[in-house]
């Protein structure tokens, strides 16, 4: 892909590589400042967030608890095995219970149960999480001073909002949603931006047509694209976020909706541990 540079967060941060360790930084600092030694958060059986939390907690000598969506499986995923190896305590909750994770009452219950602890929202989705991306904005300015167009995958919009707040309105961010019909995403980004009180945030928009069937779903087009991309570029992707994001870039250039002479930075947000959940990638 001519004129597309990949900024590889997947190569930063050790085991907790990718965007998730950046979102955790502020929480680690807050826990250390308050003398709290236990971090609690939520995620699914392949969660990049719980994976990063377990690895980061282990590195910093902090206890971690993962509230995992769904009943305990007969055999745990490789992700959950890794998390346990790093000392994370795993608590399975029914999907019904899991849906309560953002309610004040359930959070009080969890906080009391694991007290003293710091509760982190699922995916590190918060202003605290978004602030972790100011270092990425600095890297973009330094590494590619001419680039003004940055493409990022979107789950909760925290990465997009954090970058938008730390860049300025000379930049345009294009988010590629990993979810189907996530109509609340723009509102979430706006709320985060308001919380971050950015004076002149980057311009941004989210494209919703590249979900390939829905969150963590894979269709033939995505599969073919990823296998071809990996073979030619020798850069690993995962299908949930980075594969869809680069498929979008590829299709927009191919269909000439984007001018190929304009330099673009695509953010590789990591998540490669999740490849293990897809047999066709191994
Ligand atoms: C979580 C995740 C995202 C989405 O980040 P948000 O800040 O939630 O939008 C993108 N890429 C990877 C690899 C992720 O793990």
């Amino acid at each position: 892909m001519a004129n597309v540079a990949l900024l590889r967060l997947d190569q930063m941060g050790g085991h907790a590589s990718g965007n998730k360790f950046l979102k955790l930084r502020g929480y680690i600092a807050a826990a250390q400042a308050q003398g709290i030694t236990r971090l609690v958060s939520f995620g699914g059986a392949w969660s990049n967030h719980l994976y990063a939390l377990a690895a980061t907690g282990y590195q910093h000598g902090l206890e971690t608890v993962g509230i995992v969506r769904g009943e305990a499986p007969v055999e745990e995923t490789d992700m959950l095995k890794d998390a346990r190896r790093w000392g994370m305590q795993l608590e399975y909750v029914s999907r019904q219970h899991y849906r309560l994770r953002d309610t004040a009452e359930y959070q009080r219950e969890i906080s009391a149960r694991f007290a003293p602890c710091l509760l982190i929202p699922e995916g590190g989705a918060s202003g605290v999480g978004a602030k972790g991306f100011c270092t990425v904005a600095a890297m973009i300015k330094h590494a590619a001073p001419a680039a003004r167009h940055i493409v990022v995958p979107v789950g909760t919009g925290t990465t997009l909002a954090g970058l938008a707040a730390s860049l300025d309105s000379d930049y345009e961010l294009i988010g590629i949603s990993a979810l189907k019909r996530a109509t609340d995403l723009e509102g979430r980004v706006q709320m985060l931006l308001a919380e971050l009180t950015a004076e002149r945030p980057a311009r941004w928009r989210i494209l919703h047509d590249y979900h390939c069937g829905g969150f963590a779903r894979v269709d033939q087009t995505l599969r073919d694209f990823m296998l071809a991309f990996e073979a030619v570029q020798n850069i690993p992707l995962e299908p949930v976020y980075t594969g869809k994001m680069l498929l979008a870039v590829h299709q927009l250039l191919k269909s000439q909706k984007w001018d190929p002479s304009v330099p673009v930075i695509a953010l590789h947000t990591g998540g490669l541990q999740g490849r293990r959940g897809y047999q066709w990638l191994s």
Side-chain angles (χ1 to χ4, degrees), residues 32 37 39 63 65 86 116 133-134 153 177 225 246:
Q32 286 171 336
T37 57
L39 304 172
E63 284 176 49
V65 178
W86 287 317
F133 293 96
C134 59
S177 173
F225 169 75
L246 284 171

Side-chain angles (χ1 to χ4, degrees), residues 32-105:
Q32 286 171 336
Q34 296 168 47
I36 294 173
T37 57
R38 188 178 302 132
L39 304 172
V40 182
S41 196
F42 310 89
W46 283 104
S47 165
N48 292 329
H49 168 65
L50 288 184
Y51 185 85
L53 179 62
T56 311
Y58 180 74
Q59 270 166 24
H60 289 87
L62 298 165
E63 284 176 49
T64 55
V65 178
I67 314 282
V68 184
R69 181 184 60 228
E71 307 301 328
V74 178
E75 191 178 346
E76 289 183 334
T77 62
D78 290 342
M79 188 296 276
L80 292 167
K81 284 181 191 159
D82 288 338
R84 262 193 210 286
R85 204 159 38 79
W86 287 317
M88 180 175 261
Q89 177 185 341
L90 299 176
E91 283 270 322
Y92 291 93
V93 299
S94 69
R95 284 169 190 268
Q96 217 172 341
H97 253 94
Y98 193 82
R99 259 179 238 127
L100 302 174
R101 66 192 176 280
D102 291 329
T103 64
E105 195 189 334

Side-chain angles (χ1 to χ4, degrees), residues 154-174:
V154 173
T156 62
T158 311
T159 303
L160 178 77
L163 272 178
S166 347
L167 291 166
D168 59 57
S169 52
D170 290 342
Y171 289 85
E172 180 172 17
L173 293 168
I174 300 115

Side-chain angles (χ1 to χ4, degrees), residues 68-264:
V68 184
R69 181 184 60 228
E71 307 301 328
V74 178
E75 191 178 346
E76 289 183 334
T77 62
D78 290 342
M79 188 296 276
L80 292 167
K81 284 181 191 159
D82 288 338
R84 262 193 210 286
R85 204 159 38 79
W86 287 317
M88 180 175 261
Q89 177 185 341
L90 299 176
E91 283 270 322
Y92 291 93
V93 299
S94 69
R95 284 169 190 268
Q96 217 172 341
H97 253 94
Y98 193 82
R99 259 179 238 127
L100 302 174
R101 66 192 176 280
D102 291 329
T103 64
E105 195 189 334
Y106 186 60
Q107 292 185 353
R108 265 197 302 277
E109 186 190 316
I110 296 284
S111 297
R113 178 137 163 249
F114 297 103
C117 70
L118 188 66
L119 200 58
I120 303 173
E122 182 186 47
S126 67
V128 175
K131 280 190 188 141
F133 293 96
C134 59
T135 50
V136 179
M139 280 165 59
I140 289 171
K141 287 180 188 170
H142 180 75
R148 291 292 176 269
H149 294 82
I150 300 146
V151 191
V152 294
V154 173
T156 62
T158 311
T159 303
L160 178 77
L163 272 178
S166 347
L167 291 166
D168 59 57
S169 52
D170 290 342
Y171 289 85
E172 180 172 17
L173 293 168
I174 300 115
I176 308 299
S177 173
L179 302 110
K180 189 172 173 173
R181 287 195 284 275
T183 48
D184 61 336
L185 276 177
E186 281 81 1
R188 278 168 171 254
V189 171
Q190 265 153 8
M191 266 166 53
L192 285 166
L193 282 173
E195 188 180 334
L196 295 169
T197 59
E199 275 175 25
R200 221 163 63 89
R203 290 166 289 137
W204 60 275
R205 62 200 160 101
I206 298 174
L207 306 183
H208 293 271
D209 296 331
Y210 299 93
H211 55 73
C212 303
F215 186 69
R217 300 281 177 87
V218 177
D219 63 13
Q220 194 66 41
T221 310
L222 177 64
R223 190 188 294 220
D224 292 348
F225 169 75
M226 282 181 60
L227 292 173
F229 179 93
E230 291 192 347
V232 173
Q233 305 286 342
N234 205 19
I235 296 170
L237 305 174
E238 48 68 54
V240 184
Y241 297 103
T242 52
K244 291 178 186 180
M245 185 263 306
L246 284 171
L247 174 63
V249 172
H250 172 73
Q251 291 187 345
L252 287 161
L253 285 169
K254 206 173 81 176
S255 64
Q256 298 182 336
K257 284 188 185 136
W258 280 6
D259 178 352
S261 69
V262 174
V264 170

